[in-house]
């Protein structure tokens, strides 16, 4: 008699440059050979999520290793936002080029996994879960991912079917609810916000602002986890959350290549311990 393999789904949080930690964790999960049947992602978790859904984990790691901070954010970019009528800090030209390089409908169909990404309609304020695995063509799929990662003020909103969309992470940064009604052994959520914060005092307004943002997204992940665990509609047997114990040693929009390498390794090592602790197979 052949035993049925356990089925898992991944819920991937947003976190800009901190997504390198997530990519390292994904590498560990896929090396273990887990049967991943569905993936949902918000913001940078949508891009990582596409590569996880297609099974292109080495491409996901390579994507993070190739990122160059100098091509993404400059002092002039900030000046444009605050001292002109520019609607966003950056155009999405570079981001769009990166997405076009990797994202293809055919790869997603061939992998056979469901893939969802979140975005908020600027027109209605409603949250949308795009069924990206049903995208009609490459452009539509790429726009769904770009819309999920369109951080307000940083990147311009993305138009899909005549409607403008922005970063879904503002409302559902850890999109567990897209998955917990499916019959699964577990939904594994990967958040980049820490379990605890160090007691060292914050020294300036910028640090306080970044800590506040981190607390907001950490609370979102915790709330999503608890709602899923308590829901009477939940079919997944278990809801698990992988997150670093302490804050990651990089800011969300830092994109430092050396620090990205450290985060990739940290995510990989911590995911290995997580897999062992929860006896995932």
């Amino acid at each position: 008699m052949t035993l049925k393999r356990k089925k898992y789904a991944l819920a991937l949080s947003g976190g800009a440059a901190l997504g390198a930690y997530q990519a390292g964790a994904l590498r560990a999960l896929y090396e273990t050979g887990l049967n991943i049947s569905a993936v949902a992602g918000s913001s940078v978790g949508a891009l990582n999520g596409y590569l996880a859904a297609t099974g292109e984990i080495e491409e996901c790691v390579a994507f993070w290793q190739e990122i160059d901070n100098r091509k993404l954010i400059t002092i002039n970019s900030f000046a444009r936002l605050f001292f002109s009528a520019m609607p966003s800090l950056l155009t999405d030209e570079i981001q769009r080029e990166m997405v076009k390089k990797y994202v293809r409908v055919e790869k997603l169909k061939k992998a056979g996994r469901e893939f969802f990404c979140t975005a908020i309609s600027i027109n209605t304020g409603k949250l949308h879960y795009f069924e990206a695995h049903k995208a009609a063509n490459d452009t539509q799929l790429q726009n769904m991912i770009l819309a999920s990662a369109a951080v307000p003020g940083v990147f311009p909103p993305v138009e899909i079917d005549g409607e403008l969309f922005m970063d879904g992470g503002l409302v559902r940064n850890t999109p567990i609810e897209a998955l917990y009604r499916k019959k699964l052994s577990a939904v594994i959520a990967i958040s980049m916000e820490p379990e605890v914060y160090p007691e060292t005092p914050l020294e300036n307004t910028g640090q306080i602002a970044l800590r506040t943002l981190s607390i907001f997204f950490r609370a979102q992940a915790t709330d999503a986890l608890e709602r899923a665990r308590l829901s009477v509609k939940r079919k997944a047997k278990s809801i698990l959350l992988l997150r670093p114990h302490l804050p990651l040693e990089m800011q969300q929009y830092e994109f430092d290549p050396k620090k990205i390498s450290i985060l990739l390794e940290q995510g990989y090592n911590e995911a290995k311990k997580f897999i062992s602790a929860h006896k995932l197979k």
Side-chain angles (χ1 to χ4, degrees):
M1 183 175 69
T2 304
L3 295 176
K4 282 189 176 181
R5 292 183 67 197
K6 292 181 178 180
K7 290 173 64 176
Y8 297 91
L10 303 174
L12 306 180
S13 295
L18 304 183
Y21 172 90
Q22 197 174 75
L26 289 171
R27 176 184 252 176
L29 291 169
Y30 274 76
E31 276 186 4
T32 303
L34 299 187
N35 179 21
I36 308 295
S37 64
V39 181
S42 286
S43 200
V44 77
L47 179 54
N48 280 343
Y50 164 79
L51 294 167
T54 57
E56 298 175 290
I57 304 305
E58 293 309 311
E59 287 82 352
C60 184
V61 172
F63 164 79
W64 285 99
Q65 291 171 331
E66 292 169 6
I67 284 178
D68 186 342
N69 184 44
R70 293 168 297 177
K71 295 180 181 179
L72 293 172
I73 299 177
T74 68
I75 295 299
N76 289 336
S77 298
F78 283 96
R80 267 205 322 274
L81 177 64
F82 292 109
F83 299 105
S84 76
M86 293 287 291
S88 61
L89 180 62
L90 305 172
T91 69
D92 66 358
E93 180 181 350
I94 294 174
Q95 187 164 262
R96 189 171 287 276
E97 285 178 5
M98 289 191 293
V99 169
K100 283 183 176 180
K101 179 179 178 180
Y102 291 96
V103 176
R104 298 288 183 275
V105 163
E106 192 57 36
K107 290 182 179 181
L108 193 55
K109 289 182 178 179
K110 186 177 180 180
R113 295 185 180 94
E114 292 182 290
F115 173 46
F116 306 88
C117 47
T118 65
I120 303 166
S121 168
I122 291 180
N123 303 71
T124 66
K126 292 181 179 179
L127 178 72
H128 286 247
Y129 283 105
F130 289 118
E131 294 181 291
H133 54 283
K134 296 181 180 179
N137 51 55
D138 290 347
T139 299
Q140 188 179 57
L141 176 59
Q142 290 160 6
N143 281 338
M144 288 174 179
I145 294 170
L146 286 166
S148 186
V151 181
V154 178
F155 294 110
V158 176
E159 183 176 340
I160 298 175
D161 296 331
E163 197 168 353
L164 291 174
F165 290 90
M166 62 181 182
D167 192 342
L170 296 173
V171 177
R172 290 290 187 278
N173 197 49
T174 307
I176 295 173
E177 68 179 28
L179 304 164
Y180 71 79
R181 296 185 186 185
K182 298 181 180 298
K183 290 183 179 180
L184 301 161
S185 297
V187 175
I188 302 169
I190 307 176
S191 170
M192 283 74 82
E193 306 307 333
E195 294 175 1
V196 297
Y197 295 101
E199 295 182 1
T200 51
L202 301 177
E203 297 177 352
N204 55 54
T205 304
Q207 289 180 355
I208 293 171
L210 289 169
R211 173 66 59 83
T212 302
L213 188 65
S214 175
I215 290 170
F216 171 73
F217 286 130
R218 186 182 73 165
Q220 273 206 22
T222 301
D223 289 347
L225 188 80
E226 291 307 312
R227 283 197 307 272
R229 283 177 174 169
L230 294 172
S231 175
V232 296
K233 297 179 180 179
R234 175 167 65 89
K235 295 180 181 178
K237 292 180 181 178
S238 183
I239 309 292
L240 306 174
L241 177 61
L242 169 60
R243 61 172 25 150
H245 180 64
L246 292 171
L248 297 172
E249 294 295 325
M250 188 169 73
Q251 303 302 336
Q252 284 204 6
Y253 292 98
E254 196 169 356
F255 293 100
D256 182 305
K258 291 182 180 179
K259 291 183 178 180
I260 283 175
S261 293
I262 292 170
L263 261 61
L264 284 166
E265 184 175 0
Q266 182 181 346
Y268 179 85
N269 291 333
E270 292 185 5
K272 281 289 190 183
K273 293 177 183 177
F274 177 87
I275 291 162
S276 177
H278 292 284
K279 300 179 180 179
L280 303 179
K281 58 183 180 178

